[in-house]
Amino acid sequence: MRISVGGARYRNFLNKLLAGFIGLLERENTKRRVSRVSREIKSSVYYLSMKKYGNLFKKIVTTENIHIAYCKARKGKLKQKKIQDFEKNLDINIENIRKSLIDRTFHTSRYRTKIIHEPKERTIFILPFAPDRIVQHSLMNILEPIWDKMMIHNNFACRVGKGIHAGSRKTMEYVRKNSYCLKCDISKFYPSVNHDILYDILQRKIKCIDTLWLIKDIIYSYTGNGNNIPIGNYTSQWFGNMYLNELDTYVKHELRCKDYLRYCDDFCLFHNDKKILNEAAKSIESFLLTNLNLKFSKCDLFPVSHGVDFLGYRHFRKYILLRKSTAKRVKKRLARLPQLLKKGKVTKEQAESSIASTWGWLKWADTYNFRLSLDIDNLRQVINGY
């Protein structure tokens, strides 16, 4: 009987092997050794038994999938001329993209860049709407649900049903039950992602050769020092998520930290024992450098009573406050709205949308006094007068 790697029989075989090893060690009455070795075996089983996905490319290149990708890529851009031009020959253009993928004549276009300064200075990389953005959405339409299943529950970045506010609620849960927090941030994460390491991670999970060709074309489209997944690519947020999924797995399976959560390149560990978090910080720093070629920009260990500044909010045991820098930015942006509207730099709809999004952000924290200082109701009346 043949047992295929990644198959159900193979996973059952590994689990039985694991149970046999642990049983043997337990009979030796060496508890510490049992704990250490069993963790190592479980980790090996986790990686070896992970399913590899094939036959994906034929789903990526269907006309229906590319059309769905086109609809997602054009969202909020319907008034742009390039979108209108593409729609004039929609069926032909979609078929051309489909053929370029099947024939492997598609290659990621050259990037153009722009620099933004809010909330901090960053270089944004921009690709053409067609075919690049459509192709990236076509790819991720198929890969997102697969990769999402591989991720831990407490990864709150770029996933349906997760996000900032879900992450904030989980942070409050951990703040209320623990005494200490280890808060870490990775230095220049997206520019530091190594192409070879990323591709190796992804090909361990995907066996479809054509899909790997497309992934590789996008990963290596930025030529430089062998690092960087460009901020601005739709795929970059998912590539980054899968890159740091290695860290999530390490923290949960190796360090066995229960109260852990991550949003993009920011993550927190919580515990009642300060010494355990100190040891975790050293282990994580070593893991990041050795396995992912990353390093910390910040790594702070402090009592939760000081407040956990995470996801734009400051979390205390009995209340949540808005981050000070966020509050200043909100105040400045709303104060400029009437003037921008008067000069015609924003439309009335855009101004109303800005107020609505601000209100949606504030309602998740204890911001009663701050909302009064903004006088949002009066601002709404001023905007409605235009």
Side-chain angles (χ1 to χ4, degrees):
M1 178 181 67
R2 294 182 65 185
I3 301 176
S4 62
V5 175
R9 287 178 178 172
Y10 184 67
R11 291 194 292 274
N12 290 336
F13 166 74
L14 288 171
N15 286 327
K16 287 178 182 178
L17 185 64
L18 165 65
F21 270 120
I22 292 174
L24 180 64
L25 290 170
E26 284 174 342
R27 286 193 290 274
E28 294 289 328
N29 281 327
T30 53
K31 290 184 179 179
R32 286 187 179 179
R33 192 179 172 199
V34 168
S35 176
R36 178 177 59 81
V37 176
S38 65
R39 282 202 304 272
E40 290 175 359
I41 297 171
K42 283 178 180 177
S43 178
S44 299
V45 169
Y46 174 82
Y47 284 109
L48 287 171
S49 64
M50 185 176 286
K51 181 177 179 181
K52 292 185 77 172
Y53 291 83
N55 299 319
L56 302 174
F57 197 68
K58 62 184 181 182
K59 299 176 184 177
I60 293 169
V61 298
T62 63
T63 301
E64 181 184 7
N65 181 54
I66 296 173
H67 188 272
I68 292 169
Y70 158 71
C71 292
K72 288 182 178 180
R74 74 175 186 180
K75 192 174 181 181
K77 306 180 182 76
L78 287 172
K79 293 183 180 179
Q80 294 182 9
K81 188 177 185 300
K82 58 190 173 187
I83 310 296
Q84 295 170 356
D85 290 343
F86 190 88
E87 282 199 333
K88 289 176 182 176
N89 297 294
L90 182 59
D91 293 340
I92 294 173
N93 288 328
I94 285 177
E95 183 59 24
N96 287 339
I97 291 174
R98 181 174 175 274
K99 284 181 178 178
S100 72
L101 291 171
I102 293 171
D103 300 339
R104 291 199 184 187
T105 55
F106 168 81
H107 293 289
T108 303
S109 304
R110 291 186 64 180
Y111 293 95
R112 62 183 180 90
T113 60
K114 72 174 182 179
I115 296 175
I116 61 169
H117 300 278
E118 289 290 342
K120 61 183 180 182
E121 187 173 302
R122 285 178 178 171
T123 301
I124 305 297
F125 295 81
I126 303 166
L127 286 172
F129 171 77
D132 297 88
R133 294 188 197 177
I134 298 173
V135 166
Q136 291 192 10
H137 277 278
S138 298
L139 175 67
M140 295 316 305
N141 283 347
I142 307 304
L143 293 184
E144 275 183 34
I146 294 172
W147 287 353
D148 189 73
K149 291 176 186 176
M150 298 177 183
M151 295 176 183
I152 65 167
H153 180 75
N154 282 356
N155 169 2
F156 291 94
C158 315
R159 299 170 68 196
V160 175
K162 303 293 183 179
I164 287 173
H165 302 307
S168 178
R169 290 196 299 272
K170 182 59 71 173
T171 303
M172 279 300 288
E173 178 186 324
Y174 290 158
V175 164
R176 286 169 176 150
K177 64 185 279 197
N178 293 283
S179 300
Y180 296 97
C181 173
L182 175 67
K183 182 174 177 286
C184 305
D185 183 13
I186 294 172
S187 175
K188 298 178 181 177
F189 172 59
Y190 286 99
S192 300
V193 172
N194 181 270
H195 295 163
D196 293 338
I197 296 173
L198 173 60
Y199 184 70
D200 181 62
I201 289 169
L202 299 183
Q203 72 173 351
R204 293 204 307 262
K205 299 162 175 51
I206 294 170
K207 61 184 179 183
C208 176
I209 300 300
D210 290 323
T211 302
L212 286 172
W213 158 76
L214 181 55
I215 289 172
K216 191 171 187 177
D217 184 88
I218 296 170
I219 290 174
Y220 290 91
S221 63
Y222 179 84
T223 55
N225 58 358
N227 297 331
N228 195 6
I229 48 174
I231 299 173
N233 276 359
Y234 179 61
T235 50
S236 290
Q237 55 189 327
W238 277 95
F239 287 166
N241 235 351
M242 290 300 291
Y243 202 77
L244 287 182
N245 188 53
E246 301 293 299
L247 169 66
D248 299 339
T249 303
Y250 175 74
V251 172
K252 298 297 282 187
H253 291 265
E254 296 289 332
L255 300 185
R256 301 176 71 81
C257 178
K258 293 181 179 179
D259 296 347
Y260 163 82
L261 71 161
R262 178 175 67 82
Y263 186 89
C264 295
D265 58 336
D266 297 323
F267 56 94
C268 294
L269 291 78
F270 295 84
H271 207 281
N272 286 312
D273 191 333
K274 190 176 181 179
K275 189 179 291 185
I276 288 175
L277 291 180
N278 253 321
E279 291 172 356
K282 294 174 185 176
S283 298
I284 291 170
E285 185 175 28
S286 175
F287 175 85
L288 287 172
L289 187 60
T290 304
N291 295 276
L292 300 176
N293 198 31
L294 300 173
K295 59 183 181 180
F296 289 141
S297 64
K298 293 178 184 176
C299 184
D300 300 321
L301 177 56
F302 53 90
V304 297
S305 58
H306 291 181
V308 178
D309 189 338
F310 193 56
L311 301 174
Y313 298 101
R314 290 182 290 154
H315 302 82
F316 297 86
R317 279 185 168 150
K318 293 185 179 180
Y319 55 91
I320 304 176
L321 298 178
L322 205 61
R323 182 183 288 164
K324 288 182 180 179
S325 60
T326 305
K328 287 180 181 178
R329 198 160 57 246
V330 165
K331 219 166 191 176
K332 183 179 178 181
R333 186 175 70 244
L334 292 186
R336 293 176 59 208
L337 270 183
Q339 197 66 22
L340 291 173
L341 190 60
K342 187 176 180 180
K343 292 180 178 179
K345 292 187 176 181
V346 297
T347 64
K348 184 179 177 181
E349 291 74 20
Q350 287 173 327
E352 289 171 344
S353 176
S354 181
I355 293 173
S357 65
T358 300
W359 182 261
W361 184 265
L362 296 178
K363 73 178 182 181
W364 291 91
D366 300 284
T367 56
Y368 178 76
N369 290 329
F370 181 64
R371 280 181 280 167
L372 286 180
S373 71
L374 293 176
D375 198 7
I376 288 179
D377 290 335
N378 183 55
L379 182 60
R380 281 199 180 108
Q381 290 178 5
V382 171
I383 288 172
N384 286 332
Y386 283 92

